[in-house]
Amino acid sequence: GSSDGKTSIAANLAAALVETNKRTIAVNTDFRRPTLGRRLLEEEPHPLPFSLAELSEVPPTQLLRRTPTPNLVLLDLSGVDAPPGSLARATTRVLQPLSKVADAMVIDSSPVGATAEVLELLPFADHVVVAIRLDHTLTSATQRSMQLLRSLTTGAMHLVVVGENIERSPYYEYGNPSGKRSKRRTGK
């Protein structure tokens, strides 16, 4: 869902792949709330100088933007003036040729339950990472999303749970009401 940490996970996963010497392409497909570009470029990305019609004529490597991180480039068509569904299809068309110039691709998608664009990307996925935030995402929504994704991909499924559960351990706990980190014993 929205604000579950998809973009943070995608950015960190791309950074981790680069640290293992993999040439990595980070791909934004959340065209309604595109934030991956800002995270990786450390500035607001400039729109690509192409129209939607021109995208099919441009060599896919010309759609990539360098990031400050070596071996990490960004594919982000969100600045192109077109509906999100059209941008998702245009992105999908260039994934296959780009996969030949990269060791890994990490795709930041829109929420599964909110848009259909993410479903067009599933046939390309070797791994699907689903992010949920504790005390934010309903269990029933997560189950529905996982069932839908399983029915549309043969890729490995991974569930990442982010956030803090409000239940506290009766043993050890990090943190205190002031927000400063400390270790204190709270139980036997």
Side-chain angles (χ1 to χ4, degrees):
S2 178
S3 300
D4 276 348
K6 294 177 302 301
T7 302
S8 295
I9 291 168
N12 285 306
L13 182 56
L17 289 165
V18 167
E19 286 182 7
T20 63
N21 294 318
K22 294 198 183 299
R23 292 170 301 160
T24 304
I25 300 175
V27 183
N28 172 60
T29 63
D30 188 351
F31 299 112
R32 289 170 179 80
R33 293 180 58 193
T35 58
L36 184 63
R38 283 195 304 268
R39 294 221 185 155
L40 298 179
L41 298 174
E42 300 172 351
E43 62 185 29
E44 190 68 35
H46 302 289
L48 291 172
F50 308 111
S51 68
L52 181 63
E54 293 170 325
L55 287 177
S56 61
E57 300 168 14
V58 175
T61 54
Q62 287 188 6
L63 301 173
L64 299 175
R65 302 169 195 222
R66 291 183 184 265
T67 70
T69 306
N71 286 329
L72 178 62
V73 293
L74 173 68
L75 173 63
D76 186 352
L77 303 181
S78 62
V80 176
D81 186 26
S86 298
L87 294 175
R89 284 184 287 284
T91 300
T92 303
R93 281 192 298 270
V94 299
L95 289 180
Q96 186 64 32
L98 289 177
S99 69
K100 295 176 180 147
V101 299
D103 299 316
M105 296 175 105
V106 175
I107 300 173
D108 180 31
S109 74
S110 56
V112 172
T115 66
E117 291 95 40
V118 67
L119 304 179
E120 295 187 38
L121 301 164
L122 286 173
F124 299 98
D126 295 324
H127 295 268
V128 176
V129 179
V130 177
I132 63 166
R133 181 171 299 283
L134 289 174
D135 300 327
H136 181 265
T137 307
L138 298 175
T139 303
S140 59
T142 302
Q143 290 170 333
R144 282 191 307 274
S145 294
M146 295 292 283
Q147 287 171 345
L148 174 64
L149 294 171
R150 275 193 194 109
S151 71
L152 296 172
T153 185
T154 58
M157 299 284 293
H158 308 275
L159 180 65
V160 176
V161 180
V162 297
E164 181 181 327
N165 193 342
I166 55 175
E167 282 187 37
R168 301 290 182 199
S169 166
Y171 298 104
Y172 287 97
E173 174 180 310
Y174 287 89
N176 61 36
S178 69
K180 294 180 184 173
R181 296 246 177 215
S182 67
K183 186 176 179 180
R184 63 184 173 163
R185 187 168 174 99
T186 60
K188 297 179 184 179

